[in-house]
Amino acid sequence: MNKHVNVQTFIGCESSFEESSTVLFGIPYDGTTSFRPGTRFAMQAIRTDSFGLESYSPYLDRDLEDVAIFDGGDLDLPFGNTERVLNDISEYTKAVLANDKKFLMVGGEHLVSLPTIQAAYEKYPELHVIHIDAHTDLREDYLGEKLSHASVIRRCHDFLGDNRIFQFGIRSGLKEEFEWAKEHTYMERFSIDTVKEIVQQLKDVPVYVTIDLDVLDPGVFPGTGTPEPGGITYKELLAGIAALQDLNQLVAADVVELSPPYDHTGASTAMACKTVREMLLTLTK
Amino acid sequence: MNKHVNVQTFIGCESSFEESSTVLFGIPYDGTTSFRPGTRFAMQAIRTDSFGLESYSPYLDRDLEDVAIFDGGDLDLPFGNTERVLNDISEYTKAVLANDKKFLMVGGEHLVSLPTIQAAYEKYPELHVIHIDAHTDLREDYLGEKLSHASVIRRCHDFLGDNRIFQFGIRSGLKEEFEWAKEHTYMERFSIDTVKEIVQQLKDVPVYVTIDLDVLDPGVFPGTGTPEPGGITYKELLAGIAALQDLNQLVAADVVELSPPYDHTGASTAMACKTVREMLLTLTK
Amino acid sequence: MNKHVNVQTFIGCESSFEESSTVLFGIPYDGTTSFRPGTRFAMQAIRTDSFGLESYSPYLDRDLEDVAIFDGGDLDLPFGNTERVLNDISEYTKAVLANDKKFLMVGGEHLVSLPTIQAAYEKYPELHVIHIDAHTDLREDYLGEKLSHASVIRRCHDFLGDNRIFQFGIRSGLKEEFEWAKEHTYMERFSIDTVKEIVQQLKDVPVYVTIDLDVLDPGVFPGTGTPEPGGITYKELLAGIAALQDLNQLVAADVVELSPPYDHTGASTAMACKTVREMLLTLTK
Amino acid sequence: MNKHVNVQTFIGCESSFEESSTVLFGIPYDGTTSFRPGTRFAMQAIRTDSFGLESYSPYLDRDLEDVAIFDGGDLDLPFGNTERVLNDISEYTKAVLANDKKFLMVGGEHLVSLPTIQAAYEKYPELHVIHIDAHTDLREDYLGEKLSHASVIRRCHDFLGDNRIFQFGIRSGLKEEFEWAKEHTYMERFSIDTVKEIVQQLKDVPVYVTIDLDVLDPGVFPGTGTPEPGGITYKELLAGIAALQDLNQLVAADVVELSPPYDHTGASTAMACKTVREMLLTLTK
Amino acid sequence: MNKHVNVQTFIGCESSFEESSTVLFGIPYDGTTSFRPGTRFAMQAIRTDSFGLESYSPYLDRDLEDVAIFDGGDLDLPFGNTERVLNDISEYTKAVLANDKKFLMVGGEHLVSLPTIQAAYEKYPELHVIHIDAHTDLREDYLGEKLSHASVIRRCHDFLGDNRIFQFGIRSGLKEEFEWAKEHTYMERFSIDTVKEIVQQLKDVPVYVTIDLDVLDPGVFPGTGTPEPGGITYKELLAGIAALQDLNQLVAADVVELSPPYDHTGASTAMACKTVREMLLTLTK
Amino acid sequence: MNKHVNVQTFIGCESSFEESSTVLFGIPYDGTTSFRPGTRFAMQAIRTDSFGLESYSPYLDRDLEDVAIFDGGDLDLPFGNTERVLNDISEYTKAVLANDKKFLMVGGEHLVSLPTIQAAYEKYPELHVIHIDAHTDLREDYLGEKLSHASVIRRCHDFLGDNRIFQFGIRSGLKEEFEWAKEHTYMERFSIDTVKEIVQQLKDVPVYVTIDLDVLDPGVFPGTGTPEPGGITYKELLAGIAALQDLNQLVAADVVELSPPYDHTGASTAMACKTVREMLLTLTK
């Protein structure tokens, strides 16, 4: 008879903090979402539905059972005070990095990538960012707010500077964002076919990968806050992740913007689960 | 051929600002919601589905076509900065009151009632509040935040003081909130049967009515952020509204916490629509 | 091995036309529905989900297995030509009555009751109608159309005249409809408590019962085209049906306005199924 | 920084097995469900959504934080082999009882109550059962299978015998089940008003309470496998649970038949959560 | 403080009738739909959800803010009288054309394209039609009705004659419709790859483009009345629209058959919104 | 007037058993499903929604109206006793084959293919199996049960032996299943492009085709029990079916794992309907 209080982790992530090389954690925050909120429930849904997934990946021929990952649960955050939330995330992420562990963060809205990317940058000043998304996320501000999901990559540029940000799949934004990008970031519009060649270029520098799942076409992935038609298929995303295997210094990653209240069938959550598995196996390679 | 740009109002609310005695407006904000967000879409859904409703109320034997109401649309608000949002609402509400009009505000989460009640209080220092809700909303703070949907009535007490707040239908809260209420508010738990007698007591003082629709049982009204079983039926709410007819100084009201993303069938939105109609007819009596 | 082509009937209604005393049939038409269409799918859903119901009623202590009912399927109707549709229904109904059988028709929108009531009236000139509904259905016309779901009872009055129509549960309509009703029909507003006493009055005359399921509160019965809050509970409807047992000349009945596309959980369809069972047992008493 | 692998329990049930007086556990099994499966996901959904509930009950004026309850998670069961499943449940339950703990089991379909009631009976030979349900569950067999959700109470009678089973809320079954019940069980049909007086009668004997949530009307509780219209309201169920406070030897209980796939809005799950809280507070009184 | 009655238009379409070159309007009619109704709600849903879209198109590098479009709202139509409905549409469309404006009509079911195409034909006798659809729509009649969604292109052929209709994406119909098409229309089956070359051919003649959104695969676009598997992706539709840029006399267009009641996630509506934006930018080029 | 008890068949399958060359039947069983149950409702939903489909296939240029198919309905099966269920299916299938008819079986979960493949093997000892699926289904057992949906192809191998099983589209399983397959089956992973060449190889031997619809990407086909992202599109499945036309001895087939409770929009059911039509036309070639 099992006498332990009920534990729930992502499938195959039952290692202790100490023995693990990689930490998985969730950030249940969607406080600046401008259209449809709900990404706060993402990690919870992903943990539950990961039961429908195998721990073995035939794509990478690796198994979560063979690597040591710690599932640290979700951060406990208040709503309505964005600055305090970002501070709490920052502190947690720095503690993970201070223990020389990699991490996979699961959002939440895209703004929560700001403190995790910044923490990674502080530890790895040569950090480069691979950004897979439907949206530019390059606004200077959104309705006057500088800390917004629509500005997150612009805020990262504030400290990273030029030639450090590589954007893929982008198909929505203001005209000025697309103009701005021409001078400050690498951008592939509408598809993610050039991930492979950029990876070759970034092979030996520290890299953070941030995947906004709305890069997928909403026809196949409706469970997100800002559905933007014309996106990639899940097979294309899998190919993009496969291309990441050549990175020698992938230090951290995140998967954001699954919104379970808009995923009535569970298919979007299943895609998020598989993305998390593939990214964990990529991080622990 | 109609050559006017498309106008959409709540049924029967097509008067101009100037000719109207009462203003209807929406506040699409749910930034401090702790459980299920989505109330930001309430007023939009209510406007659209009011088409399924008649403008005539057989309960009150009055018709929206016979009174002058202005539908001012929804406030345009940012997310992620609660204080700025509350300021914007405050300013708008004060402008309405400065024109000697009554108003019906439609939330949004319950926190948005704080600036509207405060604005009413500033104009009517003798203001009393009738609060119909499942939750006490009397917390000193929520995870450290003093401006939270779970604290809104406590914040109102900060300026209203004792003997001004009358709570009905309450069935959820911390033990200390129920204890606190014993000394500072009138509270009917589980039902709203005493609205009638309290109305007689408040007949001749200025009154603000705030209706959190989650007072309804989630079995009949699932479209809300924090479903709390054991609530009242819609007929009981209609009886409560009928009892309000004896108030001689009803100055303003609000209807909050409809969450359309959780109302797949439209039945909850239909109840919100009918509540808005009955409250508008009560305000314009 | 069963070698018969697949037959699907309402539970317990497998008798042949010849051996049956009562005919059950569906009218998949919702062509004049002004708000949310979908009632065309009602009878199909009711047949399928009747599998979740027992054939025995503990309320009436009778079993569908003990009576002879023929399920004639659904009429095959075009859309877009209301007059032709009404003619087709009329013809079918008259053929049923010509064979001296009772019938239970399942809509469809409420307008489809017009030809079935008229056919019953032609066979039974003393016909009285018990009308259970949320809506008056007494408009002279709707946007200029005289043949509309919103006018069906008014159209029946055209041939039945005064003192023949008894309305229950009504809570929505134009002011003029309520005024008109005062002189031409019996009307109980908001509830159906007086069915019992009216049944005593109509005990020995031919009676047709038309049940618009939107008389139920949309909180408990969302699967309908025009949800009108403030309705009765399903237990109250069951009590109303129980009261019908004293009618000695119940000649026909209908159950209309279930809209499966708005019944995501199947609960509304379950209520329609049980109503059909109870009405079939009442007709075959 | 929290370094524990992610733990998820029902709200307020974080005690260790050793320190707890009561054990909460889930049985994710619905293998004999004849209509709509899905109850296997109940306990998982209840744990997740218990976050929307307070740990304090204003009905009982007690708080889960003040009692010691262990959440043992869900049993790990195969599908397709009913006997093996029942054995596994039996073994687990006996282990709990052997440690002199009470328990609350959450199903799963109703058949899973058979081994838990039997285990309780083996420890307490004077066991009486309070059975709250829409269905008789008294079939001798279902399509030839004696181990079926439709036979569970009959199977309990096999060992309990007459005068030990008290049924409430029953409104569906075969005619022969209702007949059989007249001689072998106490049965209140359609409502649960007599729970109070039966509790007085059973005050001082060991009692097991089994609550099939489909006793609730499907209008207010659609999230179940066999929706049966005409049920009780949630307030009536709360009153029934309140009546149980006078039992001096309540030794175990279960709450079964929540089916999350049919609960699109979460309202049914919220009712199940609140029922679990009230029953846990009743058991630990 | 805004004192205008609430205006709601498609994003970026706030010009007055007089200053606009193009008119956007909705036709909320689905009265001849034979399978799943609901397209009447399309334009309303599109207006509301266009908020989630940017006004700038990176595909066409043009912005709705830079062109003058008038959103004339939805026509007010009765149900149940198809001829009257078609007359009303005809009249409205002619008034738009009489003012020398282009238009984009949003259905409704496909039959509503008949009067708008006919009106365009009357003004431009050389009119050619590009028809993108899953269905042939070439029936002589449907269950005896000549005015049916399944006959709309055949009815257009009645006045346009041979060599004027170009069909793409067709994958469903009667055998005789496919046979008939061989002699009277151009038809690409299963895909829309040849739009580009046909556009070159039609470069300098007046063209009307009618897009039935069910050309998209229902896997990615479920929100429609007659889902027909095997359709194109949204990227393919975008490529088709891009090909239209070479038309020098695009005089009008329509987008039909979005059915919001079957679009639970909003993804289909998002595709409709983007299609409307791209077509508006194409019309106003 | 139609006096026949209501018959419901898949569109165009109204022939008698005697006159038909092919039998269509459903197996409403999902008793060993480990994740999300519900496939028991598949055939029922397919029959109902086949009304939205044409009987003519423009892909194959053949029409169901021109061939003789008998729809035998669904088998009547108990739940909870897997062995008895498999026996009942076996018996029925053998009776069909004994009459020298082909068949198309519609599941249910994949385990129900075991008795139908075995029955076909007993009649055609040279039987080869084309298996289109997302999952390997090659486990020796699942949680100790040898009769499980996850083991069905392994159980077939028990009697078929090596070189008889051809798997396509596989993308999920245990590492050992993929290893095992290397020696015992033909397997194309992730896609089904080689169906064409394998068909050439199997041209003149008896072939059984089993299609697990979860081979489709869950983005486009969410209505299934175990959604596995990264699957094929519906167009790719249609191409695979087209390739089967060259089989000269296709003796039987099945289509399994549609789960209507997870197909809220009907799009998955529409795909299943079209697959059934194409397979029926392939079988009756």
Side-chain angles (χ1 to χ4, degrees), chain F:
Chain F
M1 182 195 184
N2 173 22
K3 293 185 178 176
H4 297 294
V5 168
N6 189 52
V7 161
Q8 192 197 29
T9 69
F10 189 83
I11 190 171
C13 295
E14 292 132 26
S15 298
S16 71
F17 180 79
E18 288 72 20
E19 69 196 8
S20 71
S21 69
T22 298
V23 172
L24 172 69
F25 64 97
I27 302 190
Y29 189 73
D30 54 16
T32 81
T33 299
S34 50
F35 191 29
R36 314 189 312 187
T39 60
R40 64 182 69 183
F41 298 118
M43 188 64 213
Q44 209 170 52
I46 287 171
R47 270 193 205 95
T48 300
D49 282 7
S50 69
F51 169 79
L53 194 71
E54 301 288 349
S55 58
Y56 170 71
S57 165
Y59 303 90
L60 306 178
D61 193 22
R62 285 200 292 278
D63 197 312
L64 287 176
E65 301 293 349
D66 300 333
V67 293
I69 300 166
F70 167 74
D71 182 345
D74 286 10
L75 268 64
D76 201 16
L77 300 165
F79 273 89
N81 186 333
T82 305
E83 285 193 37
R84 199 180 130 202
V85 165
L86 298 185
N87 281 342
D88 288 2
I89 301 170
S90 188
E91 227 167 274
Y92 182 90
T93 314
K94 285 175 184 168
V96 171
L97 290 168
N99 282 274
D100 284 321
K101 297 184 191 297
K102 294 178 170 189
F103 66 83
L104 180 68
M105 178 273 278
V106 176
E109 57 154 277
H110 211 162
L111 179 61
V112 301
S113 301
L114 175 56
T116 59
I117 293 177
Q118 189 155 17
Y121 165 71
E122 285 172 17
K123 185 166 175 107
Y124 304 100
E126 294 306 306
L127 194 75
H128 291 64
V129 172
I130 290 179
H131 171 224
I132 299 177
D133 198 338
H135 303 89
T136 46
D137 287 0
L138 295 171
R139 296 196 185 200
E140 185 49 35
D141 66 89
Y142 188 74
L143 293 179
E145 294 300 315
K146 297 191 90 169
L147 295 175
S148 158
H149 67 102
S151 300
V152 60
I153 299 303
R154 182 67 173 266
R155 285 296 83 71
C156 289
H157 181 272
D158 289 348
F159 55 84
L160 288 169
D162 287 354
N163 306 321
R164 292 290 186 85
I165 296 170
F166 299 81
Q167 302 183 284
F168 303 88
I170 311 301
R171 57 190 185 275
S172 177
L174 303 180
K175 184 166 187 166
E176 41 277 40
E177 291 178 272
F178 283 96
E179 292 301 323
W180 188 90
K182 282 178 190 163
E183 295 181 29
H184 302 284
T185 74
Y186 169 88
M187 184 187 288
E188 179 184 349
R189 297 186 314 165
F190 311 137
S191 53
I192 66 166
D193 298 341
T194 62
V195 167
K196 209 177 174 69
E197 69 195 63
I198 296 298
V199 161
Q200 293 312 313
Q201 192 179 320
L202 303 182
K203 227 170 164 157
D204 299 311
V205 294
V207 173
Y208 184 110
V209 175
T210 178
I211 301 177
D212 184 327
L213 290 165
D214 69 18
V215 72
L216 294 162
D217 192 68
V220 298
F221 187 87
T224 194
T226 317
E228 182 66 37
I232 65 172
T233 68
Y234 193 71
K235 272 197 175 176
E236 289 170 330
L237 182 57
L238 280 174
I241 293 172
L244 301 176
Q245 307 308 308
D246 285 345
L247 292 174
N248 292 319
Q249 287 195 59
L250 176 61
V251 298
D254 63 54
V255 176
V256 301
E257 295 284 0
L258 168 71
S259 184
Y262 293 93
D263 178 33
H264 304 130
T265 67
S268 300
T269 301
M271 289 184 190
C273 285
K274 196 160 180 169
T275 306
V276 167
R277 183 188 75 190
E278 297 294 296
M279 287 306 297
L280 286 172
L281 290 171
T282 301
L283 280 160
T284 55
K285 193 187 47 159

Side-chain angles (χ1 to χ4, degrees), chain B residues 17 70-73, chain E residues 1-7:
Chain B
F17 180 79
F70 167 74
D71 182 345
Chain E
M1 183 196 184
N2 172 23
K3 294 185 178 174
H4 298 294
V5 168
N6 189 51
V7 162

Side-chain angles (χ1 to χ4, degrees), chain A residues 36 139 189-190 228-230, chain E residues 54 58 220 235 264-265 274:
Chain A
R36 315 190 310 188
R139 298 196 182 199
R189 297 187 313 166
F190 311 136
E228 183 65 39
Chain E
E54 300 287 349
V220 298
K235 271 197 175 177
H264 304 132
T265 66
K274 196 158 179 170

Side-chain angles (χ1 to χ4, degrees), chain B residues 31-52:
Chain B
T32 81
T33 299
S34 50
F35 191 29
R36 315 190 311 189
T39 60
R40 62 181 71 182
F41 298 119
M43 188 64 213
Q44 211 169 49
I46 287 170
R47 270 192 204 94
T48 300
D49 283 7
S50 69
F51 168 80

Side-chain angles (χ1 to χ4, degrees), chain B residues 34-36 139 142 171-175 178 189-191 217-220 222 226-232 236 262 264, chain D residues 48-49 51-54 56 58-59 61 63 66 219-222 234-235 238 264-267 270-272 274 277:
Chain B
S34 50
F35 191 29
R36 315 190 311 189
R139 295 196 185 200
Y142 187 74
R171 59 190 182 274
S172 178
L174 303 179
K175 183 165 187 167
F178 283 97
R189 298 187 314 165
F190 312 134
S191 54
D217 191 68
V220 298
T226 315
E228 182 67 37
I232 64 172
E236 290 170 330
Y262 293 93
H264 303 131
Chain D
T48 300
D49 283 6
F51 168 80
L53 195 71
E54 301 288 349
Y56 170 71
Y59 303 90
D61 193 22
D63 197 313
D66 300 333
V220 298
F221 188 87
Y234 193 70
K235 270 197 177 177
L238 280 175
H264 303 131
T265 66
M271 289 182 192
K274 196 157 177 170
R277 183 188 74 190

Side-chain angles (χ1 to χ4, degrees), chain E residues 22 61 224 232-233 283:
Chain E
T22 297
D61 193 21
T224 193
I232 64 173
T233 67
L283 280 159

Side-chain angles (χ1 to χ4, degrees), chain E residues 92-135:
Chain E
Y92 182 90
T93 315
K94 285 174 184 170
V96 170
L97 290 167
N99 281 276
D100 284 321
K101 296 183 192 300
K102 295 179 169 186
F103 67 83
L104 180 68
M105 178 272 279
V106 176
E109 58 154 275
H110 211 164
L111 180 60
V112 302
S113 300
L114 176 55
T116 60
I117 293 176
Q118 190 155 16
Y121 165 71
E122 285 172 17
K123 185 165 174 109
Y124 304 99
E126 295 305 307
L127 194 75
H128 291 64
V129 172
I130 289 179
H131 170 224
I132 298 177
D133 199 338
H135 304 91

